[in-house]
Short mmCIF file of all heavy atoms in Angstrom, two decimals:
data_model
loop_
_atom_site.label_atom_id
_atom_site.label_comp_id
_atom_site.label_asym_id
_atom_site.label_seq_id
_atom_site.Cartn_x
_atom_site.Cartn_y
_atom_site.Cartn_z
N GLY A 1 159.91 137.70 91.35
CA GLY A 1 159.30 137.34 90.08
C GLY A 1 158.05 136.48 90.21
O GLY A 1 157.43 136.13 89.22
N SER A 2 157.66 136.13 91.46
CA SER A 2 156.46 135.31 91.69
C SER A 2 155.31 136.17 92.19
O SER A 2 155.50 137.01 93.07
CB SER A 2 156.73 134.23 92.75
OG SER A 2 157.67 133.31 92.29
N ILE A 3 154.15 135.93 91.65
CA ILE A 3 152.94 136.63 92.10
C ILE A 3 152.44 135.89 93.33
O ILE A 3 152.14 134.69 93.27
CB ILE A 3 151.86 136.65 91.00
CG1 ILE A 3 152.41 137.32 89.74
CG2 ILE A 3 150.61 137.34 91.49
CD1 ILE A 3 151.55 137.13 88.52
N VAL A 4 152.33 136.58 94.47
CA VAL A 4 151.89 135.97 95.73
C VAL A 4 150.39 136.20 95.88
O VAL A 4 149.93 137.33 95.97
CB VAL A 4 152.65 136.57 96.93
CG1 VAL A 4 152.19 135.92 98.23
CG2 VAL A 4 154.15 136.42 96.74
N ILE A 5 149.63 135.11 95.89
CA ILE A 5 148.17 135.19 95.97
C ILE A 5 147.76 135.57 97.40
O ILE A 5 148.09 134.87 98.34
CB ILE A 5 147.52 133.85 95.55
CG1 ILE A 5 147.94 133.48 94.13
CG2 ILE A 5 146.00 133.91 95.68
CD1 ILE A 5 147.61 134.49 93.06
N PRO A 6 147.02 136.70 97.56
CA PRO A 6 146.69 137.17 98.90
C PRO A 6 145.39 136.61 99.49
O PRO A 6 145.17 136.70 100.69
CB PRO A 6 146.54 138.69 98.70
CG PRO A 6 146.04 138.82 97.31
CD PRO A 6 146.68 137.69 96.55
N CYS A 7 144.52 136.02 98.65
CA CYS A 7 143.20 135.58 99.12
C CYS A 7 142.79 134.30 98.40
O CYS A 7 143.13 134.11 97.24
CB CYS A 7 142.14 136.63 98.82
SG CYS A 7 142.50 138.25 99.42
N ASP A 8 142.02 133.46 99.08
CA ASP A 8 141.39 132.32 98.42
C ASP A 8 140.28 132.83 97.53
O ASP A 8 139.53 133.72 97.93
CB ASP A 8 140.77 131.38 99.46
CG ASP A 8 141.79 130.69 100.36
OD1 ASP A 8 143.00 130.83 100.10
OD2 ASP A 8 141.37 130.04 101.33
N GLY A 9 140.14 132.27 96.34
CA GLY A 9 139.02 132.65 95.49
C GLY A 9 139.28 132.42 94.01
O GLY A 9 140.33 131.92 93.61
N LEU A 10 138.29 132.81 93.21
CA LEU A 10 138.39 132.71 91.76
C LEU A 10 139.10 133.93 91.21
O LEU A 10 138.76 135.06 91.56
CB LEU A 10 137.00 132.64 91.14
CG LEU A 10 136.24 131.34 91.31
CD1 LEU A 10 134.82 131.50 90.82
CD2 LEU A 10 136.92 130.22 90.57
N TYR A 11 140.08 133.70 90.35
CA TYR A 11 140.84 134.78 89.73
C TYR A 11 140.69 134.72 88.23
O TYR A 11 140.77 133.65 87.63
CB TYR A 11 142.33 134.66 90.08
CG TYR A 11 142.65 135.03 91.49
CD1 TYR A 11 142.48 134.13 92.53
CD2 TYR A 11 143.13 136.29 91.81
CE1 TYR A 11 142.78 134.48 93.83
CE2 TYR A 11 143.44 136.65 93.11
CZ TYR A 11 143.26 135.74 94.11
OH TYR A 11 143.55 136.09 95.40
N LEU A 12 140.48 135.87 87.63
CA LEU A 12 140.49 136.00 86.17
C LEU A 12 141.92 136.30 85.77
O LEU A 12 142.53 137.23 86.28
CB LEU A 12 139.57 137.13 85.73
CG LEU A 12 139.56 137.44 84.23
CD1 LEU A 12 139.03 136.24 83.45
CD2 LEU A 12 138.73 138.67 83.95
N LEU A 13 142.46 135.48 84.87
CA LEU A 13 143.85 135.62 84.44
C LEU A 13 143.87 135.88 82.94
O LEU A 13 143.19 135.19 82.18
CB LEU A 13 144.61 134.34 84.77
CG LEU A 13 146.09 134.35 84.46
CD1 LEU A 13 146.84 133.65 85.56
CD2 LEU A 13 146.38 133.70 83.15
N SER A 14 144.63 136.87 82.55
CA SER A 14 144.79 137.19 81.14
C SER A 14 146.28 137.35 80.86
O SER A 14 146.97 138.07 81.58
CB SER A 14 144.04 138.48 80.80
OG SER A 14 144.34 138.89 79.49
N LEU A 15 146.76 136.66 79.84
CA LEU A 15 148.17 136.72 79.48
C LEU A 15 148.27 136.77 77.96
O LEU A 15 147.61 136.00 77.26
CB LEU A 15 148.89 135.47 80.01
CG LEU A 15 150.36 135.34 79.69
CD1 LEU A 15 151.09 134.78 80.89
CD2 LEU A 15 150.62 134.46 78.50
N LYS A 16 149.07 137.70 77.45
CA LYS A 16 149.34 137.71 76.02
C LYS A 16 150.70 138.35 75.79
O LYS A 16 151.16 139.19 76.57
CB LYS A 16 148.25 138.42 75.23
CG LYS A 16 148.07 139.87 75.54
CD LYS A 16 146.94 140.44 74.71
CE LYS A 16 146.76 141.91 75.02
NZ LYS A 16 145.75 142.52 74.20
N GLY A 17 151.35 137.92 74.74
CA GLY A 17 152.67 138.45 74.41
C GLY A 17 153.27 137.71 73.22
O GLY A 17 152.64 136.81 72.65
N ASN A 18 154.48 138.08 72.85
CA ASN A 18 155.19 137.45 71.73
C ASN A 18 156.48 136.82 72.24
O ASN A 18 157.17 137.40 73.07
CB ASN A 18 155.52 138.50 70.66
CG ASN A 18 154.28 139.08 70.04
OD1 ASN A 18 153.39 138.36 69.62
ND2 ASN A 18 154.20 140.40 70.00
N ILE A 19 156.79 135.64 71.70
CA ILE A 19 157.99 134.90 72.09
C ILE A 19 158.93 134.79 70.89
O ILE A 19 158.52 134.37 69.81
CB ILE A 19 157.63 133.46 72.56
CG1 ILE A 19 156.52 133.49 73.61
CG2 ILE A 19 158.85 132.73 73.06
CD1 ILE A 19 156.91 134.04 74.94
N HIS A 20 160.20 135.15 71.11
CA HIS A 20 161.24 135.04 70.07
C HIS A 20 162.36 134.16 70.61
O HIS A 20 162.78 134.31 71.76
CB HIS A 20 161.80 136.42 69.72
CG HIS A 20 160.77 137.36 69.17
ND1 HIS A 20 160.42 137.35 67.86
CD2 HIS A 20 160.02 138.33 69.77
CE1 HIS A 20 159.49 138.28 67.65
NE2 HIS A 20 159.25 138.88 68.80
N PHE A 21 162.84 133.26 69.77
CA PHE A 21 163.96 132.39 70.17
C PHE A 21 164.75 132.00 68.93
O PHE A 21 164.28 132.10 67.81
CB PHE A 21 163.45 131.15 70.91
CG PHE A 21 162.39 130.39 70.16
CD1 PHE A 21 162.71 129.41 69.26
CD2 PHE A 21 161.04 130.69 70.36
CE1 PHE A 21 161.73 128.72 68.56
CE2 PHE A 21 160.05 130.00 69.67
CZ PHE A 21 160.40 129.00 68.78
N SER A 22 165.98 131.52 69.15
CA SER A 22 166.81 131.18 67.99
C SER A 22 167.55 129.86 68.14
O SER A 22 168.01 129.29 67.16
CB SER A 22 167.83 132.29 67.72
OG SER A 22 168.65 132.44 68.86
N ASP A 23 167.68 129.32 69.32
CA ASP A 23 168.55 128.16 69.52
C ASP A 23 167.80 126.83 69.63
O ASP A 23 168.24 125.92 70.30
CB ASP A 23 169.42 128.38 70.76
CG ASP A 23 168.60 128.54 72.03
OD1 ASP A 23 167.38 128.76 71.93
OD2 ASP A 23 169.18 128.44 73.12
N LEU A 24 166.68 126.67 68.91
CA LEU A 24 165.94 125.41 68.96
C LEU A 24 166.09 124.65 67.65
O LEU A 24 166.18 125.25 66.58
CB LEU A 24 164.45 125.65 69.20
CG LEU A 24 164.05 126.09 70.61
CD1 LEU A 24 162.54 126.31 70.65
CD2 LEU A 24 164.44 125.08 71.65
N ASP A 25 166.10 123.33 67.74
CA ASP A 25 166.06 122.50 66.54
C ASP A 25 164.66 122.61 65.92
O ASP A 25 163.69 122.98 66.59
CB ASP A 25 166.34 121.03 66.89
CG ASP A 25 167.75 120.85 67.42
OD1 ASP A 25 168.64 121.64 67.04
OD2 ASP A 25 167.95 119.92 68.23
N GLU A 26 164.56 122.25 64.66
CA GLU A 26 163.28 122.38 63.97
C GLU A 26 162.20 121.50 64.57
O GLU A 26 161.03 121.84 64.55
CB GLU A 26 163.45 122.07 62.48
CG GLU A 26 164.14 123.19 61.75
CD GLU A 26 164.12 122.97 60.26
OE1 GLU A 26 163.20 122.29 59.77
OE2 GLU A 26 165.02 123.48 59.60
N GLU A 27 162.58 120.32 65.10
CA GLU A 27 161.57 119.43 65.67
C GLU A 27 161.20 119.80 67.11
O GLU A 27 160.22 119.32 67.64
CB GLU A 27 162.00 117.95 65.60
CG GLU A 27 163.23 117.60 66.42
CD GLU A 27 164.53 117.80 65.65
OE1 GLU A 27 164.52 118.08 64.45
OE2 GLU A 27 165.57 117.68 66.28
N ASP A 28 161.99 120.64 67.74
CA ASP A 28 161.71 121.06 69.11
C ASP A 28 160.78 122.28 69.12
O ASP A 28 160.66 123.00 68.14
CB ASP A 28 163.01 121.43 69.85
CG ASP A 28 163.84 120.20 70.17
OD1 ASP A 28 163.26 119.10 70.22
OD2 ASP A 28 165.06 120.36 70.36
N SER A 29 160.16 122.48 70.26
CA SER A 29 159.35 123.69 70.46
C SER A 29 159.65 124.25 71.84
O SER A 29 160.05 123.52 72.74
CB SER A 29 157.86 123.38 70.33
OG SER A 29 157.45 122.51 71.35
N LEU A 30 159.49 125.52 71.95
CA LEU A 30 159.67 126.18 73.23
C LEU A 30 158.36 126.06 74.01
O LEU A 30 157.28 126.20 73.43
CB LEU A 30 160.02 127.65 73.01
CG LEU A 30 160.18 128.49 74.26
CD1 LEU A 30 161.42 129.35 74.14
CD2 LEU A 30 158.98 129.34 74.50
N LYS A 31 158.46 125.79 75.29
CA LYS A 31 157.26 125.70 76.12
C LYS A 31 157.24 126.88 77.07
O LYS A 31 158.21 127.12 77.80
CB LYS A 31 157.23 124.39 76.88
CG LYS A 31 156.96 123.22 75.98
CD LYS A 31 156.71 121.96 76.75
CE LYS A 31 156.33 120.87 75.80
NZ LYS A 31 157.29 119.84 75.65
N LEU A 32 156.14 127.59 77.05
CA LEU A 32 155.90 128.68 77.99
C LEU A 32 154.93 128.11 79.02
O LEU A 32 153.84 127.65 78.66
CB LEU A 32 155.28 129.88 77.28
CG LEU A 32 154.95 131.08 78.14
CD1 LEU A 32 156.23 131.71 78.69
CD2 LEU A 32 154.17 132.11 77.33
N THR A 33 155.32 128.10 80.30
CA THR A 33 154.54 127.44 81.33
C THR A 33 154.21 128.40 82.47
O THR A 33 155.07 129.13 82.94
CB THR A 33 155.30 126.21 81.90
OG1 THR A 33 155.73 125.40 80.82
CG2 THR A 33 154.42 125.40 82.83
#
């Protein structure tokens, strides 16, 4: 599940998606890291 970086250098990273959850209190937030 880990992306292994093969070379030193600058990388362009793009990430997008939707997050669904149900077991959080109203004052809490989910952190995607």
Side-chain angles (χ1 to χ4, degrees):
S2 294
I3 302 168
V4 180
I5 302 302
C7 307
D8 294 352
L10 287 172
Y11 286 82
L12 176 64
L13 183 140
S14 172
L15 178 140
K16 63 181 180 177
N18 296 310
I19 309 290
H20 299 277
F21 52 88
S22 60
D23 61 345
L24 287 179
D25 295 332
E26 285 188 27
E27 64 272 353
D28 288 338
S29 64
L30 177 135
K31 288 189 175 111
L32 179 66
T33 309

